Amino acid sequence: MQVGILIGNNIPKATEPLKVINSQQEGPYACYTPIGWIVYGIHKSINSTAGISVNRITVQESIDSQLVKLYNHDFQESLADDMPEKSMKDKQFLANVEKTIKFTDHGQYEIGLPLDDKEVTFPNNKVQAEVRAAHLKRKLSKNQTFYTDYKATVNDMIRKGYAERVPVEELEGSPGRTWYIPHHGVIHPRKNKLRVVYDCAATYKGFSLNKELLQGPDLTSNLHGVVMRFRQEPVALMGDIEAMFHQVEVSRKDRDLLRFLWWQEGDIERPVEEYRMCVHPFGATSSPAIANFALRRTAEAASSQYSQEVIDTMLHNFYVDDCLRSVPTESEAVSLVKDLQEVCRSGGFRLTKWLSNSREVLKTVPPAERAKDIRSLDLSQDPLPPDRALGMKWKVESDTFGYSIDLQEKPPTRREYYQPLVRCMTHWV
């Protein structure tokens, strides 16, 4: 009998009983353990007067199947592909999106807000938005840098058509279908970049926009799979979809649920005025699923015009707005970058900020489409600076992942003072 694996008694967890099937008469009994079913005991036909008896243990699961379970536990992409049936809420979300989605004349998808109750009546929360706007005004007036960045961000959104001033004839709005979203600024600690966040979770009289929106299914590609494929081949590529959420428009009938208060031209000395979002905002619970749905629909619509490799990249190698992929050769990488940009453009998305460990590939990308830190580099001699790949530090020049430790200097806490003493006392006890 060939031995596949030996498990010692020093690993009791491997054979810990999770389920027991009791013996019948004097027969063996079975235990279900983390490594599968194990049978204990001797066969009743064995002569009990014999000087030696042997317990035969049988593992019914093969070593191969156990390894598959181990790999699936560590790399869960295959399990994610076999997801259980979608919930009723997810089905409702998808039905809502399919019913309202359309491709506009100016080359972008338009999708309505996926409300849980289509007949919901919102209270008038303008007073709440006015209080928050007054608080924001005080904050802006105290910090000139913050004010300058905030004004530039909102004015840029209006200029690009992501938001619009509510026309005078529509200011009254539809009763029960008008909602005002407070907003505030958040500064990224590492990038030192301001982002305006729309507080769709703000509650007024028990209502909030996020409570009424369906979140939708998780349409994001599996993180483990994206990272592993990024490390699979020698030529690595990374790109980013510019303002992904803002590339999907909101149906006109739903835009009054996305009103916000702002000052014309950002001049806080003027009276506050009413604006509304024309795109799905950062802060709405449905926006990630909406954006991913539109991106996937873009790939499906282009499936007959591009190679399967390009479509698979669109469907499986994007983690929200980040595209990460690796290919065997530089020529394949150059072709893939070009095709991915074209496919994304066909759905109203701009795939930009390209970065690669191959200088030859980067030379084929226009400087304006490269990552910010390498646009001005001399690719023939300057070293490629490190960047972040899904939160990890990617050393592009050596094509390796690394990490940095930033230890903050602060006085130790009382707990930290006592921990060595406690360990010492525990040792002697």
Side-chain angles (χ1 to χ4, degrees):
M1 177 178 178
Q2 184 178 2
V3 177
I5 186 171
L6 293 176
I7 301 177
N9 289 333
N10 61 331
I11 312 178
K13 280 290 183 182
T15 56
E16 180 179 359
L18 304 176
K19 181 180 179 182
V20 177
I21 298 180
N22 295 326
S23 62
Q24 296 184 9
Q25 298 180 357
E26 298 180 1
Y29 64 94
C31 293
Y32 184 65
T33 71
I35 62 172
W37 284 100
I38 299 179
V39 178
Y40 293 92
I42 58 176
H43 195 275
K44 62 181 180 180
S45 63
I46 296 178
N47 186 356
S48 60
T49 60
I52 299 176
S53 62
V54 177
N55 293 337
R56 181 183 179 187
I57 300 177
T58 303
V59 180
Q60 294 186 340
E61 285 188 297
S62 67
I63 299 300
D64 290 342
S65 66
Q66 294 175 54
L67 287 174
V68 169
K69 285 186 176 181
L70 174 64
Y71 296 150
N72 283 338
H73 179 270
D74 291 339
F75 309 104
Q76 301 176 6
E77 186 170 29
S78 60
L79 296 181
D81 293 338
D82 298 330
M83 294 177 65
E85 182 69 15
K86 291 182 176 62
S87 69
M88 293 300 296
K89 293 293 185 182
D90 287 347
K91 290 180 179 179
Q92 183 182 348
F93 172 93
L94 294 172
N96 186 303
V97 170
E98 288 287 1
K99 184 177 179 179
T100 61
I101 189 172
K102 68 176 184 180
F103 198 68
T104 63
D105 295 336
H106 46 280
Q108 287 181 301
Y109 282 103
E110 178 185 289
I111 300 175
L113 290 176
L115 294 169
D116 189 7
D117 178 6
K118 296 180 181 179
E119 306 301 324
V120 62
T121 301
F122 287 86
N124 188 339
N125 72 325
K126 185 176 180 180
V127 62
Q128 179 193 48
E130 289 173 336
V131 171
R132 293 280 293 268
H135 175 73
L136 175 63
K137 179 180 178 179
R138 289 193 296 270
K139 187 174 181 179
L140 294 174
S141 63
K142 292 178 181 178
N143 188 327
Q144 184 60 42
T145 302
F146 184 73
Y147 172 43
T148 302
D149 293 343
Y150 207 110
K151 179 172 66 173
T153 301
V154 178
N155 288 346
D156 186 58
M157 289 180 56
I158 297 171
R159 180 181 59 82
K160 291 180 177 179
Y162 299 160
E164 64 182 3
R165 189 178 176 187
V166 179
V168 176
E169 62 274 14
E170 298 181 26
L171 281 174
E172 186 175 347
S174 301
R177 302 295 288 188
T178 303
W179 184 260
Y180 296 85
I181 307 174
H183 51 92
H184 59 276
V186 176
I187 298 178
H188 195 290
R190 182 173 54 83
K191 298 179 181 179
N192 197 28
K193 180 181 179 182
L194 182 140
R195 167 175 277 171
V196 175
V197 178
Y198 292 86
D199 189 3
C200 299
T203 302
Y204 181 77
K205 292 186 177 180
F207 283 81
S208 80
L209 184 61
N210 275 351
K211 284 183 180 179
E212 303 301 327
L213 289 173
L214 295 167
Q215 181 176 348
D218 183 6
L219 301 177
T220 306
S221 298
N222 181 267
L223 179 60
H224 289 89
V226 173
V227 174
M228 292 299 292
R229 283 189 292 275
F230 182 58
R231 310 307 300 152
Q232 187 174 359
E233 303 292 350
V235 183
L237 299 167
M238 186 169 69
D240 176 85
I241 295 180
E242 183 180 59
M244 181 176 178
F245 289 6
H246 293 164
Q247 307 314 311
V248 184
E249 297 183 1
V250 178
S251 299
R252 288 196 168 272
K253 65 181 181 64
D254 294 332
R255 291 182 183 180
D256 280 334
L257 292 174
L258 301 176
R259 289 196 185 190
F260 64 96
L261 301 181
W262 184 243
W263 299 268
Q264 188 174 359
E265 300 298 329
D267 184 356
I268 58 177
E269 299 305 321
R270 293 184 177 185
V272 72
E273 297 184 352
E274 296 190 23
Y275 291 78
R276 61 189 177 193
M277 295 295 296
C278 302
V279 297
H280 289 266
F282 186 85
T285 189
S286 58
S287 292
I290 290 286
N292 276 303
F293 186 93
L295 186 65
R296 288 177 172 271
R297 179 57 57 90
T298 299
E300 293 166 2
S303 60
S304 61
Q305 305 171 34
Y306 293 87
S307 67
Q308 190 62 44
E309 180 185 17
V310 174
I311 303 305
D312 285 344
T313 301
M314 291 286 297
L315 295 175
H316 304 296
N317 288 76
F318 276 81
Y319 192 77
V320 191
D321 57 350
D322 293 314
C323 174
L324 294 93
R325 182 66 195 272
S326 62
V327 293
T329 65
E330 292 174 332
S331 60
E332 290 179 73
V334 172
S335 176
L336 185 60
V337 168
K338 176 177 175 293
D339 289 344
L340 287 174
Q341 286 182 307
E342 290 179 356
V343 174
C344 287
R345 194 179 301 117
S346 70
F349 298 98
R350 183 191 176 201
L351 186 56
T352 183
K353 296 182 182 178
W354 285 101
L355 186 58
S356 174
N357 62 335
S358 167
R359 297 171 186 271
E360 297 305 315
V361 173
L362 289 174
K363 288 177 183 178
T364 66
V365 179
E369 300 296 324
R370 298 174 190 166
K372 182 179 178 180
D373 292 343
I374 65 169
R375 290 175 187 172
S376 59
L377 291 185
D378 183 351
L379 295 177
S380 62
Q381 59 181 3
D382 291 341
L384 298 176
D387 209 299
R388 309 289 292 189
L390 297 180
M392 297 176 289
K393 187 175 182 180
W394 180 29
K395 299 179 180 179
V396 185
E397 187 69 40
S398 60
D399 192 21
T400 57
F401 283 155
Y403 60 89
S404 58
I405 300 176
D406 183 16
L407 296 177
Q408 298 181 357
E409 293 186 6
K410 58 181 182 179
T413 64
R414 188 176 299 176
R415 176 190 293 269
E416 291 169 341
Y417 270 124
Y418 286 140
Q419 275 181 342
L421 178 61
V422 171
R423 284 197 295 267
C424 182
M425 293 175 64
T426 303
H427 172 74
W428 285 107
V429 170

